[in-house]
Amino acid sequence: MGTKTVDETGAEPGTEATGVTEAAEVAEVAQDDRAVVMTKTDAVDETAAEDGEDGDDTDADDADADDADAAVADVPAGTTGVGQGAGAVVSAALGLVSLTGSWIGTVAGARQTLVGQLKSSSGSASVAEQIQAVYGDAWQTTALWGGLFALAALVTGVVVLARPAFGSPARPQAPWIKSVSWAGIALGVIGLLLAVLKYTDALLGLPSAG
């Protein structure tokens, strides 16, 4: 009758091999679990790193926005460019008046003509003196007033262009203000040049009495 062989430990043959196989499977499963946990941990770390980078970008954008708001807040609320625009228009208007003539210049010229007529009414003055008293002095008076308007236009235009340097450099000057101011300066220079030429009889001088 056959007998079953039992080793000294009391275990049946093949039981030891089965235990080793099961232990290997358990170790493999444990390794797989650790790999899954490490993979999840790496994914969480990468997500956190991306969130941190996005957070840094957001913080940088917020900082830039705060700086821009602070720069705007530093500019005085009353500085709107209205005064500079008005000054530019005044400069251009004065320059135009210096070229076309003004009411005060016309009145001053007519008054000087009247004074010249009174001076030459005695009859003792020569023809050249009468021409100078009646026409020359009036012509020079008109030229003088035109030069004053031209000078005022020139000074006003320069002041308007230089105003931002002494006010709020953070707020740029409107392009149309610069254009009108330069127009006033150009008209002032031309008017001042013509006034000097008329006053010195270099332009349209009086005719000779001889």
Side-chain angles (χ1 to χ4, degrees):
M1 189 174 177
T3 59
K4 183 179 291 186
T5 303
V6 180
D7 57 7
E8 296 178 353
T9 60
E12 295 181 358
T15 303
E16 182 179 357
T18 302
V20 172
T21 303
E22 291 177 354
E25 291 178 353
V26 170
E28 184 177 356
V29 170
Q31 290 179 356
D32 292 340
D33 291 339
R34 286 196 298 270
V36 171
V37 171
M38 293 177 64
T39 302
K40 292 181 178 180
T41 303
D42 294 338
V44 171
D45 293 339
E46 291 179 357
T47 303
E50 292 178 356
D51 293 339
E53 292 178 356
D54 294 339
D56 293 339
D57 294 339
T58 303
D59 293 340
D61 294 338
D62 293 339
D64 294 338
D66 293 339
D67 293 339
D69 293 339
V72 174
D74 291 338
V75 179
T79 306
T80 58
V82 175
Q84 297 178 22
V89 174
V90 170
S91 175
L94 290 174
L96 186 62
V97 168
S98 69
L99 296 178
T100 58
S102 62
W103 172 81
I104 189 172
T106 302
V107 172
R111 180 181 182 279
Q112 191 61 41
T113 299
L114 180 60
V115 172
Q117 291 176 350
L118 294 175
K119 288 182 178 180
S120 60
S121 61
S122 60
S124 59
S126 62
V127 176
E129 292 175 349
Q130 292 179 3
I131 294 176
Q132 179 64 35
V134 176
Y135 301 103
D137 293 342
W139 181 252
Q140 290 178 346
T141 301
T142 304
L144 178 61
W145 279 101
L148 291 177
F149 276 98
L151 184 60
L154 181 61
V155 172
T156 304
V158 171
V159 170
V160 171
L161 290 178
R163 178 65 178 83
F166 300 96
S168 301
R171 184 182 294 274
Q173 194 174 53
W176 73 269
I177 295 178
K178 294 181 179 179
S179 300
V180 177
S181 298
W182 278 113
I185 292 174
L187 292 173
V189 170
I190 296 174
L192 190 60
L193 178 61
L194 292 177
V196 172
L197 293 177
K198 289 188 295 183
Y199 192 85
T200 57
D201 289 337
L203 179 65
L204 301 177
L206 294 175
S208 176

PDB file of all heavy atoms in Angstrom, residues 34-52:
ATOM      1  N   ARG A  34       3.348  50.466  -5.380  1.00  0.00           N
ATOM      2  CA  ARG A  34       4.283  51.569  -5.147  1.00  0.00           C
ATOM      3  C   ARG A  34       4.511  52.374  -6.414  1.00  0.00           C
ATOM      4  O   ARG A  34       4.626  53.602  -6.385  1.00  0.00           O
ATOM      5  CB  ARG A  34       5.617  51.023  -4.613  1.00  0.00           C
ATOM      6  CG  ARG A  34       5.561  50.569  -3.166  1.00  0.00           C
ATOM      7  CD  ARG A  34       6.969  50.415  -2.594  1.00  0.00           C
ATOM      8  NE  ARG A  34       7.738  49.414  -3.303  1.00  0.00           N
ATOM      9  CZ  ARG A  34       7.762  48.115  -2.977  1.00  0.00           C
ATOM     10  NH1 ARG A  34       7.052  47.673  -1.931  1.00  0.00           N
ATOM     11  NH2 ARG A  34       8.492  47.269  -3.659  1.00  0.00           N
ATOM     12  N   ALA A  35       4.586  51.692  -7.555  1.00  0.00           N
ATOM     13  CA  ALA A  35       4.772  52.405  -8.832  1.00  0.00           C
ATOM     14  C   ALA A  35       3.594  53.313  -9.126  1.00  0.00           C
ATOM     15  O   ALA A  35       3.744  54.452  -9.574  1.00  0.00           O
ATOM     16  CB  ALA A  35       4.977  51.392  -9.972  1.00  0.00           C
ATOM     17  N   VAL A  36       2.364  52.794  -8.856  1.00  0.00           N
ATOM     18  CA  VAL A  36       1.170  53.616  -9.098  1.00  0.00           C
ATOM     19  C   VAL A  36       1.171  54.829  -8.184  1.00  0.00           C
ATOM     20  O   VAL A  36       0.880  55.961  -8.593  1.00  0.00           O
ATOM     21  CB  VAL A  36      -0.097  52.774  -8.881  1.00  0.00           C
ATOM     22  CG1 VAL A  36      -1.343  53.672  -8.900  1.00  0.00           C
ATOM     23  CG2 VAL A  36      -0.211  51.710  -9.949  1.00  0.00           C
ATOM     24  N   VAL A  37       1.546  54.604  -6.898  1.00  0.00           N
ATOM     25  CA  VAL A  37       1.577  55.719  -5.950  1.00  0.00           C
ATOM     26  C   VAL A  37       2.616  56.746  -6.372  1.00  0.00           C
ATOM     27  O   VAL A  37       2.382  57.965  -6.328  1.00  0.00           O
ATOM     28  CB  VAL A  37       1.882  55.193  -4.533  1.00  0.00           C
ATOM     29  CG1 VAL A  37       2.128  56.355  -3.580  1.00  0.00           C
ATOM     30  CG2 VAL A  37       0.705  54.347  -4.030  1.00  0.00           C
ATOM     31  N   MET A  38       3.812  56.295  -6.811  1.00  0.00           N
ATOM     32  CA  MET A  38       4.847  57.228  -7.264  1.00  0.00           C
ATOM     33  C   MET A  38       4.395  57.990  -8.495  1.00  0.00           C
ATOM     34  O   MET A  38       4.652  59.181  -8.639  1.00  0.00           O
ATOM     35  CB  MET A  38       6.135  56.462  -7.550  1.00  0.00           C
ATOM     36  CG  MET A  38       6.799  55.865  -6.306  1.00  0.00           C
ATOM     37  SD  MET A  38       8.268  54.900  -6.703  1.00  0.00           S
ATOM     38  CE  MET A  38       9.301  56.180  -7.376  1.00  0.00           C
ATOM     39  N   THR A  39       3.693  57.299  -9.413  1.00  0.00           N
ATOM     40  CA  THR A  39       3.196  57.968 -10.622  1.00  0.00           C
ATOM     41  C   THR A  39       2.197  59.058 -10.258  1.00  0.00           C
ATOM     42  O   THR A  39       2.228  60.182 -10.779  1.00  0.00           O
ATOM     43  CB  THR A  39       2.549  56.952 -11.563  1.00  0.00           C
ATOM     44  OG1 THR A  39       3.504  55.942 -11.892  1.00  0.00           O
ATOM     45  CG2 THR A  39       2.065  57.636 -12.846  1.00  0.00           C
ATOM     46  N   LYS A  40       1.278  58.742  -9.330  1.00  0.00           N
ATOM     47  CA  LYS A  40       0.307  59.747  -8.890  1.00  0.00           C
ATOM     48  C   LYS A  40       0.989  60.921  -8.211  1.00  0.00           C
ATOM     49  O   LYS A  40       0.629  62.073  -8.410  1.00  0.00           O
ATOM     50  CB  LYS A  40      -0.714  59.106  -7.946  1.00  0.00           C
ATOM     51  CG  LYS A  40      -1.633  58.105  -8.630  1.00  0.00           C
ATOM     52  CD  LYS A  40      -2.638  57.539  -7.641  1.00  0.00           C
ATOM     53  CE  LYS A  40      -3.599  56.579  -8.329  1.00  0.00           C
ATOM     54  NZ  LYS A  40      -4.588  56.011  -7.386  1.00  0.00           N
ATOM     55  N   THR A  41       2.022  60.612  -7.408  1.00  0.00           N
ATOM     56  CA  THR A  41       2.752  61.682  -6.711  1.00  0.00           C
ATOM     57  C   THR A  41       3.442  62.604  -7.702  1.00  0.00           C
ATOM     58  O   THR A  41       3.424  63.834  -7.571  1.00  0.00           O
ATOM     59  CB  THR A  41       3.776  61.076  -5.751  1.00  0.00           C
ATOM     60  OG1 THR A  41       3.098  60.215  -4.840  1.00  0.00           O
ATOM     61  CG2 THR A  41       4.501  62.171  -4.974  1.00  0.00           C
ATOM     62  N   ASP A  42       4.074  62.015  -8.743  1.00  0.00           N
ATOM     63  CA  ASP A  42       4.732  62.833  -9.769  1.00  0.00           C
ATOM     64  C   ASP A  42       3.725  63.702 -10.507  1.00  0.00           C
ATOM     65  O   ASP A  42       3.990  64.869 -10.822  1.00  0.00           O
ATOM     66  CB  ASP A  42       5.471  61.928 -10.765  1.00  0.00           C
ATOM     67  CG  ASP A  42       6.638  61.182 -10.098  1.00  0.00           C
ATOM     68  OD1 ASP A  42       7.107  61.679  -9.054  1.00  0.00           O
ATOM     69  OD2 ASP A  42       7.055  60.140 -10.633  1.00  0.00           O
ATOM     70  N   ALA A  43       2.541  63.128 -10.808  1.00  0.00           N
ATOM     71  CA  ALA A  43       1.513  63.895 -11.506  1.00  0.00           C
ATOM     72  C   ALA A  43       1.048  65.072 -10.663  1.00  0.00           C
ATOM     73  O   ALA A  43       0.862  66.191 -11.157  1.00  0.00           O
ATOM     74  CB  ALA A  43       0.324  62.996 -11.862  1.00  0.00           C
ATOM     75  N   VAL A  44       0.872  64.809  -9.353  1.00  0.00           N
ATOM     76  CA  VAL A  44       0.457  65.897  -8.458  1.00  0.00           C
ATOM     77  C   VAL A  44       1.524  66.974  -8.381  1.00  0.00           C
ATOM     78  O   VAL A  44       1.236  68.178  -8.404  1.00  0.00           O
ATOM     79  CB  VAL A  44       0.156  65.330  -7.062  1.00  0.00           C
ATOM     80  CG1 VAL A  44      -0.071  66.469  -6.068  1.00  0.00           C
ATOM     81  CG2 VAL A  44      -1.076  64.438  -7.110  1.00  0.00           C
ATOM     82  N   ASP A  45       2.805  66.565  -8.327  1.00  0.00           N
ATOM     83  CA  ASP A  45       3.891  67.546  -8.280  1.00  0.00           C
ATOM     84  C   ASP A  45       3.941  68.383  -9.547  1.00  0.00           C
ATOM     85  O   ASP A  45       4.147  69.601  -9.502  1.00  0.00           O
ATOM     86  CB  ASP A  45       5.231  66.819  -8.068  1.00  0.00           C
ATOM     87  CG  ASP A  45       5.303  66.167  -6.688  1.00  0.00           C
ATOM     88  OD1 ASP A  45       4.539  66.600  -5.804  1.00  0.00           O
ATOM     89  OD2 ASP A  45       6.118  65.232  -6.518  1.00  0.00           O
ATOM     90  N   GLU A  46       3.775  67.726 -10.723  1.00  0.00           N
ATOM     91  CA  GLU A  46       3.788  68.475 -11.985  1.00  0.00           C
ATOM     92  C   GLU A  46       2.624  69.463 -12.033  1.00  0.00           C
ATOM     93  O   GLU A  46       2.768  70.603 -12.474  1.00  0.00           O
ATOM     94  CB  GLU A  46       3.709  67.504 -13.158  1.00  0.00           C
ATOM     95  CG  GLU A  46       4.970  66.652 -13.331  1.00  0.00           C
ATOM     96  CD  GLU A  46       4.840  65.678 -14.482  1.00  0.00           C
ATOM     97  OE1 GLU A  46       3.728  65.653 -15.079  1.00  0.00           O
ATOM     98  OE2 GLU A  46       5.815  64.974 -14.781  1.00  0.00           O
ATOM     99  N   THR A  47       1.447  69.032 -11.586  1.00  0.00           N
ATOM    100  CA  THR A  47       0.286  69.933 -11.580  1.00  0.00           C
ATOM    101  C   THR A  47       0.524  71.124 -10.666  1.00  0.00           C
ATOM    102  O   THR A  47       0.210  72.270 -10.992  1.00  0.00           O
ATOM    103  CB  THR A  47      -0.964  69.175 -11.125  1.00  0.00           C
ATOM    104  OG1 THR A  47      -1.170  68.048 -11.987  1.00  0.00           O
ATOM    105  CG2 THR A  47      -2.188  70.088 -11.167  1.00  0.00           C
ATOM    106  N   ALA A  48       1.114  70.829  -9.501  1.00  0.00           N
ATOM    107  CA  ALA A  48       1.400  71.919  -8.572  1.00  0.00           C
ATOM    108  C   ALA A  48       2.425  72.882  -9.143  1.00  0.00           C
ATOM    109  O   ALA A  48       2.324  74.103  -8.978  1.00  0.00           O
ATOM    110  CB  ALA A  48       1.908  71.338  -7.236  1.00  0.00           C
ATOM    111  N   ALA A  49       3.429  72.336  -9.849  1.00  0.00           N
ATOM    112  CA  ALA A  49       4.443  73.203 -10.464  1.00  0.00           C
ATOM    113  C   ALA A  49       3.827  74.078 -11.533  1.00  0.00           C
ATOM    114  O   ALA A  49       4.108  75.274 -11.635  1.00  0.00           O
ATOM    115  CB  ALA A  49       5.567  72.348 -11.056  1.00  0.00           C
ATOM    116  N   GLU A  50       2.935  73.473 -12.381  1.00  0.00           N
ATOM    117  CA  GLU A  50       2.271  74.281 -13.407  1.00  0.00           C
ATOM    118  C   GLU A  50       1.406  75.352 -12.785  1.00  0.00           C
ATOM    119  O   GLU A  50       1.366  76.494 -13.237  1.00  0.00           O
ATOM    120  CB  GLU A  50       1.430  73.365 -14.306  1.00  0.00           C
ATOM    121  CG  GLU A  50       2.279  72.413 -15.167  1.00  0.00           C
ATOM    122  CD  GLU A  50       1.406  71.496 -15.992  1.00  0.00           C
ATOM    123  OE1 GLU A  50       0.164  71.563 -15.822  1.00  0.00           O
ATOM    124  OE2 GLU A  50       1.961  70.729 -16.800  1.00  0.00           O
ATOM    125  N   ASP A  51       0.675  74.964 -11.705  1.00  0.00           N
ATOM    126  CA  ASP A  51      -0.158  75.967 -11.022  1.00  0.00           C
ATOM    127  C   ASP A  51       0.701  77.075 -10.444  1.00  0.00           C
ATOM    128  O   ASP A  51       0.327  78.251 -10.449  1.00  0.00           O
ATOM    129  CB  ASP A  51      -0.976  75.306  -9.916  1.00  0.00           C
ATOM    130  CG  ASP A  51      -2.024  74.345 -10.477  1.00  0.00           C
ATOM    131  OD1 ASP A  51      -2.358  74.509 -11.668  1.00  0.00           O
ATOM    132  OD2 ASP A  51      -2.476  73.458  -9.739  1.00  0.00           O
ATOM    133  N   GLY A  52       1.884  76.714  -9.939  1.00  0.00           N
ATOM    134  CA  GLY A  52       2.779  77.731  -9.391  1.00  0.00           C
ATOM    135  C   GLY A  52       3.277  78.678 -10.448  1.00  0.00           C
ATOM    136  O   GLY A  52       3.355  79.897 -10.242  1.00  0.00           O
TER     137      GLY A  52
END
